[in-house]
Structure formats: C-alpha cells, structure tokens
C-alpha cells in the first residue's frame, strides 16, 4: 500500500500471517528505524522526540515494561472491580437524574475509564479536560506536526511535574512507583513522565471508545442486546465483551512494524527495511477463524481475537479494559432497559480521523 510520504509498506490482512509476524523477532517495533510506516509527519517527528516501551524492541522493551506490569495483573485488577462498579453506578445514577437525551460519551464512556486510570496513576481527575484535549490531538491522524509535538510536550511536562510531586510525597499509586524507579536510578524523570503519558492516554481513550461504539453495535443488534441485558451470568458477559472486541477492533491504524531481516510469508518476501502494517481488524474478521465474522454473536468463543494485539507487545492494560467493559456492559442495559439512540446511526459523528475508532458523541434516551 502507498502511504502519505510515498513509502510502500506491506499491508498484512490474514489472521495466521498477522499472528506469525507479530510473534516474529525479525520484526521490529522501533519507530525510529528507517522504513517504519508512520501515520503522519507529526507522528514521525514525535517518535524521534519521545520513545516509549511500545516502540522499543527487547531486551529494552521487556526491561521497561516490567516496571509497570504489576498494577495491571489480573488479581490486582479484579480487586478493583467493586470500585469500578461503584463508579459506573454513580455515573448511571447521574444520567437517570438528569434530562434526556444525554451524550453517553460525556456521561459515562469517557469519565469511567478516566476516573479509573487517574486513581491508578495518581493523576488529579479535575485535570481531565486538559489531558483529554491533548490526548485527542495525539491520536488524530489529521493533527499537524506542531499540534502533535505541542500536545506531547504539554502532557509530558504535566506528568513531569506530577512525578516531581511524587518524589517529594509518594502515595499508593503508579506515578509514585515510577518516581521510586527514578530515585533508584532505573529511569530518568523524563522517561518516567513519558511512561505516565502513555499509560494515561491508553488507559482512557480505548475503553471509552469501546463503551460507546459497543453500545451502538448492541443497539443495532437488539437480539444480542436482549441476551446480554437479561443474563446475570458473569461468564456470559465476559464472553460478550470478547466478541465485541473482535467485532469492532477499534485500533484502526494497524500494528506498525519494520522488518529487521528478509521474511518469507504468505507466498511473499518482505525485505529487510520494509515497513509492515498488521491490520488486526481484518484478522478478526477472517472467516477461516471466525465463521460469519460480519455477524455480531455474543455467544461466540472469540477469545482468539487480536483486538489487544499479539506477541510481546500485546496491550499491557487489557485486564483492566476487560473488567471495565464487563462492568459497563453488564450494568448499563439492565439499569436502563429501554435505552435507545436519540438520533439515526447515519447522524452519529464517527471518528474516521482517529487512530482509535469510536464516536465523538452518542445521544441516547430512554422511556421515563
């Protein structure tokens, strides 16, 4: 395929080929390598200014990733489930107490994961307008180089100040743990701030879009919504979450890589230095793996999906995302059984310009 800068990376579409490449050590995630298929000039410029562990290869990737793995361990995330449930119920209470229609993005989809990641990191939620505005610029394909670099600098400076505060007054949160790594000489303060930026953005953007877009998908498939609304089986809700993750695959820029060596795959030769875009959206709709992939079926065993990627760079925060989605999908439609769109689907402002797909607004209403 041809990109904005005239480069021609390989677009990998089949599920088996995608898994093979994402697990292949001959494939590099280093965004500063020649041939890496950047989304835009702004993203290329930013890659040279700020490295994060998601754009590193092992062993450096593994070393830094291990520093932030523990808070996202399944047992620790499960221990947060009651708190996530309480936040969800409180937000729905506020929805029900107010007028309709309501924008579900602003009322629930965005504040829930933002509140959770803020508490986990130790970031003041009252600053959410600032970090949500700048994170939106960072993941918009149409942002100019100046906007991308400016948003990145603003967020990094902000997190840098928070790390400084944690160095002086540590608390029980992830930024304090990163600050301790700075004191131990394992990270520079700027590296700790960069990690904070990544975790803050990834911690709210993806889940927020899944909550809203998943609701659209379910409202467009009322038979599936009815099954989910009427079940009290946590395993059935968890299964529905996996199918919605497969069905939507909201990361729409693909997993971007560059070949270290020549690789023979799918009857083709990817040469050393060639860019690679693994578009997991098509892999998750591969009929050889998921029969009738275009059909939303919340009873399907979709656990092999690649919505969180695959291999060593698989999404660190997926246990947290799963719990948040299970709580929301298991609560919202039971508490508001008559929930419906307040406008036509064709009137919804979809995020065609973002690296993460979703809707900018989702007007909903219900029978009083």
């Amino acid at each position: 395929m041809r990109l904005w800068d005239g480069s021609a990376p390989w677009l990998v579409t089949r599920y088996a080929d995608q898994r093979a490449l994402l697990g292949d050590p001959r494939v590099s995630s280093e965004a500063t390598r020649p041939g890496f298929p950047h989304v835009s000039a702004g993203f290329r410029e930013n890659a040279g200014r700020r490295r994060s562990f998601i754009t590193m290869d092992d062993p450096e990737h593994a070393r830094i990733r291990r520093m932030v793995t523990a808070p996202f361990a399944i047992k620790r995330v499960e221990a947060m489930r009651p708190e996530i449930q309480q936040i969800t119920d409180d937000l729905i209470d506020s929805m029900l107490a107010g007028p309709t229609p309501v924008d579900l993005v602003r009322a629930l989809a965005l504040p829930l994961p933002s509140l959770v990641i803020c508490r986990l990191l130790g970031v003041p939620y009252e600053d959410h307008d600032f970090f949500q505005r700048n994170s939106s610029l960072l993941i918009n394909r149409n942002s100019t180089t100046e906007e991308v670099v400016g948003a990145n600098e603003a967020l990094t400076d902000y997190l840098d100040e928070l790390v400084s505060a944690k160095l002086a007054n540590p608390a029980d949160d992830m930024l304090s743990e990163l600050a301790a790594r700075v004191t131990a000489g394992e990270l520079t303060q700027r590296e700790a701030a960069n990690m904070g930026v990544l975790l803050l953005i990834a911690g709210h953007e993806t889940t927020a879009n899944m909550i809203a877009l998943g609701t659209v998908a379910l409202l467009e498939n009322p038979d599936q919504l009815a099954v989910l609304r009427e079940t009290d089986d946590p395993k059935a809700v968890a299964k529905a979450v996996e199918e919605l993750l497969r069905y939507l695959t909201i990361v729409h820029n693909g997993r971007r890589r560059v070949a270290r060596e020549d690789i023979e795959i799918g009857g083709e030769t990817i040469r050393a230095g060639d860019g690679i875009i693994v578009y997991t959206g098509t892999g998750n709709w591969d009929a050889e793996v998921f029969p009738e992939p275009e059909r939303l079926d919340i009873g399907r065993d979709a656990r092999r999906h690649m919505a969180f990627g695959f291999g060593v760079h698989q999404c660190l925060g997926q246990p947290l995302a799963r719990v948040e989605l299970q709580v929301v999908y298991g609560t919202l439609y039971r508490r508001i059984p008559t929930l419906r769109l307040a406008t036509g689907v064709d009137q919804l402002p979809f995020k065609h310009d973002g690296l993460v797909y979703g809707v900018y607004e989702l007007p909903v209403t219900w029978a009083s």
Side-chain angles (χ1 to χ4, degrees), residues 108-184:
L108 176 65
L110 192 54
L112 169 64
S114 297
L115 278 162
V116 173
I117 198 63
C118 280
R119 293 185 187 183
L120 197 60
L121 281 174
V123 170
Y125 179 71
E126 54 265 29
D127 295 336
H128 67 276
D129 283 340
F130 164 78
F131 66 72
Q132 286 168 358
R133 181 175 65 255
N134 282 285
S135 68
S136 294
L137 285 171
L138 278 177
I139 65 169
N140 191 306
R141 288 198 302 266
N142 296 330
S143 292
T144 65
T145 299
E146 292 74 20
E147 287 172 331
V148 172
V149 171
N152 178 62
E153 289 299 315
L155 284 171
T156 307
D157 288 346
Y158 170 70
L159 266 298
D160 199 300
E161 291 179 10
L162 289 178
V163 172
S164 289
K166 302 297 181 181
L167 283 166
N169 296 290
D172 183 19
D173 54 49
M174 287 186 70
L175 286 183
S176 296
E177 293 177 21
L178 289 173
R181 302 275 187 180
V182 174
T183 301

Side-chain angles (χ1 to χ4, degrees), residues 10-12 14 16-18 20-21 263-271:
W10 293 91
L11 179 67
V12 185
R14 286 189 293 263
D17 293 339
Q18 291 179 352
L21 285 170
I263 301 170
E264 300 283 344
I265 188 164
E268 301 286 351
T269 301
I270 298 176
R271 300 293 181 188

Side-chain angles (χ1 to χ4, degrees), residues 217 221 242-249 284-285 293-297:
N221 291 270
E242 300 306 315
E243 169 66 353
L244 283 159
L245 286 164
R246 176 205 71 82
Y247 184 74
L248 297 171
T249 316
N284 283 341
W285 276 42
E294 72 287 348
R295 182 169 63 89
L296 179 64
D297 176 9

Side-chain angles (χ1 to χ4, degrees), residues 191-366:
E191 286 173 335
N194 280 333
M195 292 176 72
V197 171
L198 172 64
L199 295 168
L200 181 61
I201 295 174
H204 77 274
E205 283 285 357
T206 49
T207 303
N209 283 292
M210 268 300 302
I211 291 170
L213 201 60
T215 297
V216 175
L218 288 165
L219 290 172
E220 287 293 284
N221 291 270
D223 59 326
Q224 299 300 297
L225 176 58
V227 173
L228 181 58
R229 184 174 53 230
E230 293 160 14
T231 186
D232 57 3
D233 180 2
K235 291 183 179 179
V237 174
K239 204 170 189 179
V241 166
E242 300 306 315
E243 169 66 353
L244 283 159
L245 286 164
R246 176 205 71 82
Y247 184 74
L248 297 171
T249 316
I250 61 170
V251 177
H252 272 200
N253 60 317
R255 312 285 167 170
R256 296 182 177 231
R257 304 288 191 266
V258 60
R260 294 170 174 269
E261 306 172 19
D262 291 358
I263 301 170
E264 300 283 344
I265 188 164
E268 301 286 351
T269 301
I270 298 176
R271 300 293 181 188
D274 283 355
I276 302 169
I277 300 177
V278 178
Y279 185 56
T280 49
T282 56
N284 283 341
W285 276 42
D286 188 331
E288 292 187 10
V289 184
F290 305 104
E292 296 182 82
E294 72 287 348
R295 182 169 63 89
L296 179 64
D297 176 9
I298 65 170
R300 184 199 305 268
D301 182 359
R303 288 175 296 177
R304 291 181 294 164
H305 69 76
M306 293 185 291
F308 294 116
F310 183 73
V312 296
H313 284 280
Q314 207 171 154
C315 176
L316 174 72
Q318 59 183 289
L320 178 59
R322 282 188 163 101
V323 170
E324 289 172 334
L325 293 173
Q326 288 165 13
V327 169
V328 171
Y329 292 151
T331 305
L332 175 62
Y333 318 117
R334 285 191 296 101
R335 290 204 55 194
I336 312 181
T338 57
L339 187 76
R340 60 180 175 83
L341 294 178
T343 187
V345 171
D346 59 343
Q347 298 300 308
L348 294 176
F350 287 95
K351 294 183 176 180
H352 297 295
D353 54 355
L355 305 187
V356 181
Y357 195 53
V359 287
Y360 284 104
E361 298 174 3
L362 182 58
V364 294
T365 188
W366 53 88

